[in-house]
Amino acid sequence: MKKSQRILFQRGAFTLVELLVLVAAIGVVLGILFPAIQSAREDERATQCAFNLKKIALAIHNFHDVHQHMPPIAQNNEKYSRVNWAVMILPYIDQASLWTQYANGGKLHMQKPSDPTSGRTDKECGPYRANPWDWSVAIWYKNIEIYHCPADSHSYDAASEWFPGRLNYRASLGDASLASRSFAETGAQSRGPFMVANDAEGNLVRRLSSVVDGTSNTAMFSECLTHPTTAGPDDSTLDARTGILTGKDPRYPETCMDLKDPDNPERFQASESTRPWSGRRWADGLYVHSSFNTILPPNAASCISGTRDDERSIMTASSGHAGGVNVVLVDGSVRFISDAIDCGDLTADNDQIFERVRDSRRVISTNKSPYGVWGSFGSINGGESVILDF
């Protein structure tokens, strides 16, 4: 009788065909997973941005409860030196110690980053007078978490002699194109919920009761991307979402809209010049640094009449999110506003939204916005009935 024999078969290596099938299968799986992962990350970034906006809105309401008015876009008088709303709400966003440093003056200055021997460390500042454009003031280099959107890859960029403490969120001036060269003349003309406190006592301010069109359909803050470069004027970086076109008349919004590269609509034409001020000084009250307008659609273009950062401008909301921007309303709710939102007649003269009172320099702004749903969304007292169903 023959004994049963076991035959052990040894498996050889994968054949080329099998390897190709395996690689293809892995590629299919990764092709499915990667977009899902990217989408989840983007959703997380958008959620964090919305949460930041909610916290800023809550701080504004807490400020209002204490002071009985909104913080100004810019505080520019004998006590303050052009600082913006982001400075004024520091005590309400868990930054009381930073506010104390600013309010108490003292040794706030640091050495020039590129020249450690510049000897400015011991310079004294008087109370409340640390200038937001002074590169040597240490507190302006502070990166405040709530002021940064994670969807902006340049939000934390350092700068050698400029301000690495950046700002991704801006206060609404509504549909009024203004110049901040003379705050006294234009501060009261804001069509949004904020204005400039330019008198000695800081009394030129708005209250929640000023928002007569309704707090549930009036924009308060939006996102804006920061410029990717870190120093000086920049005529070569033409990203339409972060560059500010120079030499364009913001009185007529269409002049800012038709200057994009037809082959790359995310960039301006190579013949155009821009400035890199967007988000570069978190504490500066000049409009190009800390405000936005509801005139041109989100992610469209920003422009300024000349080459100085205090001239008449249109600052447009922008973001790293696909298809639009987050906006927080005066009531504290957050909406995602599409790039395709109705902007009405962009050929309309921006001066026509104001009415000048006879025999007076006083200007009122109760006209309806010519800039469609987006413009109506920005004005606090235009008398529009806006239905935000997007």
Side-chain angles (χ1 to χ4, degrees):
M1 185 176 183
K2 288 185 177 179
K3 293 183 178 179
S4 304
Q5 291 185 349
R6 276 184 177 171
I7 301 177
L8 180 62
F9 291 94
Q10 220 174 7
R11 181 68 168 92
F14 286 110
T15 66
L16 178 60
V17 172
E18 289 173 326
L19 283 173
L20 291 174
V21 170
L22 180 61
V23 169
I26 293 173
V28 170
V29 172
L30 292 178
I32 295 172
L33 288 178
F34 277 177
I37 293 172
Q38 288 295 101
S39 178
R41 287 176 176 171
E42 165 54 23
D43 289 345
E44 182 180 356
R45 290 191 288 262
T47 299
Q48 182 60 51
C49 275
F51 186 57
N52 288 348
L53 284 167
K54 278 183 173 290
K55 290 195 289 187
I56 291 172
L58 177 61
I60 296 294
H61 280 266
N62 288 337
F63 182 100
H64 190 281
D65 289 344
V66 172
H67 300 278
Q68 300 303 303
H69 62 77
M70 308 281 275
I73 275 188
Q75 189 92 315
N76 192 52
N77 48 45
E78 293 178 2
K79 187 175 183 181
Y80 300 96
S81 184
R82 208 173 83 185
V83 294
N84 65 4
W85 58 268
V87 175
M88 304 308 292
I89 67 170
L90 286 174
Y92 305 94
I93 57 169
D94 298 324
Q95 293 292 332
S97 61
L98 195 63
W99 169 260
T100 300
Q101 291 181 52
Y102 169 69
N104 290 342
K107 297 181 179 180
L108 299 175
H109 285 63
M110 65 187 298
Q111 292 173 335
K112 190 174 180 181
S114 64
D115 182 11
T117 64
S118 56
R120 300 191 64 174
T121 305
D122 293 331
K123 182 176 178 180
E124 301 282 338
C125 284
Y128 291 50
R129 296 296 296 180
N131 299 325
W133 62 89
D134 188 342
W135 52 258
S136 64
V137 178
I139 56 176
W140 305 146
Y141 286 78
K142 175 72 172 178
N143 270 310
I144 302 171
E145 189 71 24
I146 191 178
Y147 291 157
H148 295 269
C149 174
D152 183 355
S153 60
H154 298 288
S155 187
Y156 285 96
D157 281 0
S160 57
E161 294 178 20
W162 292 71
F163 298 95
R166 297 190 170 199
L167 181 68
N168 277 125
Y169 304 106
R170 292 169 173 265
S172 175
L173 283 172
D175 60 344
S177 167
L178 304 175
S180 47
R181 177 173 294 176
S182 176
F183 282 133
E185 293 180 6
T186 65
Q189 296 181 29
S190 164
R191 295 259 291 181
F194 302 95
M195 59 188 293
V196 174
N198 200 65
D199 65 330
E201 301 300 323
N203 291 324
L204 294 177
V205 290
R206 290 249 161 89
R207 295 173 174 81
L208 286 174
S209 58
S210 304
V211 188
V212 298
D213 285 348
T215 60
S216 62
N217 62 2
T218 301
M220 184 159 63
F221 288 93
S222 183
E223 302 175 78
C224 281
L225 291 172
T226 61
H227 197 278
T229 61
T230 58
D234 181 25
D235 295 337
S236 61
T237 302
L238 300 172
D239 188 320
R241 296 179 302 169
T242 60
I244 303 172
L245 286 167
T246 59
K248 311 304 173 188
D249 187 358
R251 178 175 173 179
Y252 302 98
E254 68 169 351
T255 60
C256 302
M257 283 291 290
D258 299 328
L259 300 170
K260 292 187 178 182
D261 185 339
D263 297 323
N264 187 354
E266 293 185 354
R267 294 181 64 79
F268 295 122
Q269 298 173 21
S271 58
E272 297 303 321
S273 294
T274 66
R275 288 295 183 270
W277 298 314
S278 184
R280 291 270 296 281
R281 298 178 186 169
W282 72 266
D284 198 327
L286 291 186
Y287 301 147
V288 299
H289 295 291
S290 58
S291 68
F292 83 102
N293 301 104
T294 56
I295 300 176
L296 299 179
N299 293 307
S302 295
C303 62
I304 196 163
S305 59
T307 58
R308 293 168 49 113
D309 60 357
D310 60 355
E311 295 175 302
R312 185 172 183 173
S313 63
I314 293 176
M315 294 304 299
T316 299
S318 59
S319 83
H321 315 304
V325 297
N326 283 311
V327 172
V328 67
L329 312 187
V330 178
D331 69 356
S333 60
V334 176
R335 298 292 185 93
F336 189 78
I337 305 299
S338 169
D339 294 346
I341 190 172
D342 169 51
C343 290
D345 181 12
L346 293 178
T347 68
D349 181 350
N350 195 258
D351 284 355
Q352 298 306 306
I353 63 176
F354 300 110
E355 296 178 353
R356 295 190 178 275
V357 179
R358 184 175 296 178
D359 301 324
S360 170
R361 293 182 61 190
R362 190 166 70 89
V363 175
I364 59 176
S365 56
T366 57
N367 288 342
K368 291 185 177 181
S369 177
Y371 306 121
V373 173
W374 190 220
S376 301
F377 192 29
S379 64
I380 62 172
N381 60 354
E384 306 98 342
S385 296
V386 181
I387 299 176
L388 298 177
D389 56 358
F390 39 85

